Amino acid sequence: MDQAETLRLLKAGKQSRPLARVITVTSGKGGVGKSNTAINLAIHFKKMGKRVIILDADFGLANIEIMFGAVPKHNLCDLIYQGKNIKEVITWGPGGVGFISGGSGIAGMSNLGPDYLNYIIQNLSELDSIADIIIVDTGAGIADSVLEFLVASGEILLITTPEPTSITDSYSLLKALSRHPRFRSENTQVKMIANRVERGDDGQILYKKLNSVVQRFLKLPMTYLGSIPQDTMLAKAVMQQNPVSLQNPSAKSAVAYEQIAARLLDRDETTVGKNRGMAAFFSHIVSRR
């Protein structure tokens, strides 16, 4: 049985079960607040009544578990190589948000045989019954592993700061994505979030600056979601390994995250398209074999 047949069987058996919405969070360079954004959006999605799982796909850095202050007993490698089921590799963090530590497991999936891949994809499809929203926190930059996640995703959140290097690296990432042989812009929405802005209109200015270059040279549609202000309360929460949206919900950064989460949930279904679910997401990643 090939991967396409596996997906057809999964779809046939789960037509009454909604598929999870997969949102991929990325950035052109490290240190711009990507994982913080993933965590705090997840917290607000949960507060808004959604079941949320974060997949930490930033190999080897374990940002999510560090920021949550929670040590996972198992990671995705244990599902792939040790026979653990999907529920056993989920760690529940603050605020009722679950996360899966990816380790190096996903990077090695393309080397597995088809039977093994089908087994893994079927396990991952169980996430659709556990979560309404799955946030994939990728690594930063234009590594092949990052691009594979972005190509597989129908919804990408690009985190950018006003620093010139961040703007340049964001453009480089979008350029690499647009040139990927399997990327289809009509199947993907790129949404920019401006992080660490000083003034209210700085985020819109940053978006216009980046978008003008993207439209001129890449012709890649990109929308603006909003901005996160510089906030000492956010920095303090990071140091204490607690999401600012839980530690200090009235902090200006926490309020901004809440507003962006609300915009994402108020999306127009006709423009975003149907949820893909985790089986289709991972099948797309390993289909390059």
Side-chain angles (χ1 to χ4, degrees):
M1 183 187 301
D2 61 14
Q3 293 163 35
E5 179 64 19
T6 298
L7 288 174
R8 284 193 291 271
L9 291 176
L10 287 170
K11 182 177 179 180
K14 299 178 182 179
Q15 289 181 349
S16 61
R17 179 198 296 177
L19 296 175
R21 178 179 178 181
V22 180
I23 300 174
T24 303
V25 183
T26 194
S27 62
K29 68 186 293 286
V32 299
K34 171 179 58 61
S35 296
N36 244 322
T37 299
I39 286 174
N40 283 284
L41 288 179
I43 293 294
H44 286 294
F45 286 145
K46 180 65 177 178
K47 288 182 177 182
M48 296 171 186
K50 300 297 182 181
R51 301 168 301 163
V52 189
I53 298 289
I54 302 174
L55 173 60
D56 189 349
D58 196 347
F59 306 132
L61 296 183
N63 286 336
I64 300 299
E65 61 192 73
I66 292 172
M67 292 182 179
F68 266 151
V71 179
K73 185 177 180 181
H74 300 291
N75 60 32
L76 196 60
C77 286
D78 295 316
L79 182 146
I80 297 173
Y81 303 110
Q82 302 298 326
K84 300 295 182 181
N85 64 53
I86 194 65
K87 292 183 179 179
E88 291 178 297
V89 302
I90 297 174
T91 301
W92 295 99
V97 172
F99 72 92
I100 299 173
S101 178
S104 60
I106 305 168
M109 285 181 66
S110 61
N111 297 320
L112 300 175
D115 291 340
Y116 220 140
L117 284 173
N118 291 336
Y119 163 77
I120 294 164
I121 290 170
Q122 289 184 55
N123 264 273
L124 290 168
S125 73
E126 294 301 317
L127 286 174
D128 292 329
S129 65
I130 299 171
D132 302 304
I133 299 174
I134 298 166
I135 298 177
V136 179
D137 182 29
T138 75
I142 59 173
D144 288 344
S145 58
V146 174
L147 293 175
E148 290 297 339
F149 279 108
L150 300 183
V151 169
S153 181
E155 192 170 3
I156 297 170
L157 306 189
L158 175 66
I159 314 304
T160 309
T161 72
E163 297 176 7
T165 53
S166 177
I167 300 171
T168 302
D169 290 341
S170 291
Y171 174 78
S172 296
L173 174 63
L174 294 178
K175 180 179 179 180
L177 176 63
S178 67
R179 293 183 174 182
H180 193 285
R182 291 189 291 110
F183 175 71
R184 299 291 180 270
S185 61
E186 65 271 18
N187 296 330
T188 309
Q189 285 205 345
V190 179
K191 306 172 184 181
M192 198 203 87
I193 296 175
N195 195 26
R196 300 175 186 161
V197 301
E198 295 288 350
R199 296 179 299 273
D201 60 348
D202 283 355
Q204 190 70 247
I205 293 171
L206 172 58
Y207 166 72
K208 289 180 179 179
K209 183 184 299 184
L210 177 60
N211 191 52
S212 64
V213 181
V214 169
Q215 296 311 311
R216 180 179 179 184
F217 296 105
L218 305 181
K219 304 295 190 295
L220 179 63
M222 182 172 67
T223 58
Y224 178 61
L225 267 182
S227 64
I228 310 298
Q230 280 279 18
D231 187 3
T232 56
M233 292 294 100
L234 174 58
K236 183 178 179 180
V238 170
M239 293 299 294
Q240 297 178 353
Q241 295 180 283
N242 195 23
V244 68
S245 297
L246 290 178
Q247 180 163 302
N248 193 340
S250 62
K252 56 185 180 180
S253 57
V255 172
Y257 283 125
E258 181 179 16
Q259 292 171 344
I260 290 175
R263 291 187 195 112
L264 284 165
L265 291 187
D266 287 342
R267 66 181 185 162
D268 183 351
E269 296 287 348
T270 62
T271 60
V272 172
K274 295 181 180 179
N275 296 339
R276 297 183 178 184
M278 284 305 285
F281 181 84
F282 269 94
S283 184
H284 197 293
I285 290 173
V286 300
S287 66
R288 68 185 187 277
R289 301 177 72 250

